[in-house]
Amino acid sequence: MDNFLYKDETYKIIGAAMTVHRYFGCGFTEKVYQDALEIEFKEQGIPYVREQPILAKYRGRTLSTEFIPDFICFNHIVVELKAVKELEDYQRSQAINYARVANMDIALLINFGETSLRHERFIVSNLWNLWFILIVLWLICEI
């Protein structure tokens, strides 16, 4: 696991989040952590864009609904923040879908709402390829 995708960049983002969590602990709103993390990104020289609206496409048409991830860092990592007691599957799906719509490789879900910072990392770039392979295998087995 020493050579996973964007290892150094991911560690820098998580480290910045740990710095914020050590300062505040749990119990604040998501926006407080987002504001503090933005300051920490600047301090640590982590390139980011905050709340950049992203439009999805459906059948080649751009939808009017905007998806707004908390941060996009290093131009290829979607960072979605939460401040909840426990992460739920719909929040994981949200982070993954934001990365998919934004055509990013990694989704990083960070929860400040627990006594210890919790983070989950998802590789998104190969999900469509995996689904395609599974569908083809299923079709072959059905023949």
Side-chain angles (χ1 to χ4, degrees), residues 24-104:
F24 281 117
C26 62
F28 290 91
T29 65
E30 182 180 313
K31 284 293 185 193
V32 170
Y33 298 111
Q34 190 180 38
D35 290 345
L37 190 55
E38 181 174 27
I39 292 169
E40 198 59 39
F41 284 165
K42 288 177 184 174
E43 289 288 319
Q44 294 189 24
I46 295 172
Y48 72 93
V49 177
R50 182 174 174 175
E51 296 180 326
Q52 166 123 14
I54 299 165
L55 297 174
K57 290 190 176 188
Y58 176 74
R59 294 185 174 192
R61 296 182 197 157
T62 302
L63 303 178
S64 61
T65 303
E66 293 180 336
F67 297 90
I68 304 175
D70 293 316
F71 295 99
I72 296 175
C73 296
F74 297 102
N75 293 318
H76 46 249
I77 301 172
V78 167
V79 179
E80 188 60 24
L81 307 181
K82 299 297 174 196
V84 296
K85 183 178 176 182
E86 186 176 326
L87 290 172
E88 296 187 37
D89 287 342
Y90 80 91
Q91 294 159 327
R92 292 175 181 94
S93 296
Q94 179 188 28
I96 292 167
N97 288 334
Y98 282 1
R100 186 178 295 140
V101 168
N103 200 27
M104 301 286 158

Side-chain angles (χ1 to χ4, degrees), residues 132-143:
F132 178 76
I133 291 168
L134 290 173
I135 290 169
V136 168
L137 289 173
W138 178 74
L139 290 172
I140 291 172
C141 291
E142 291 292 315
I143 295 178

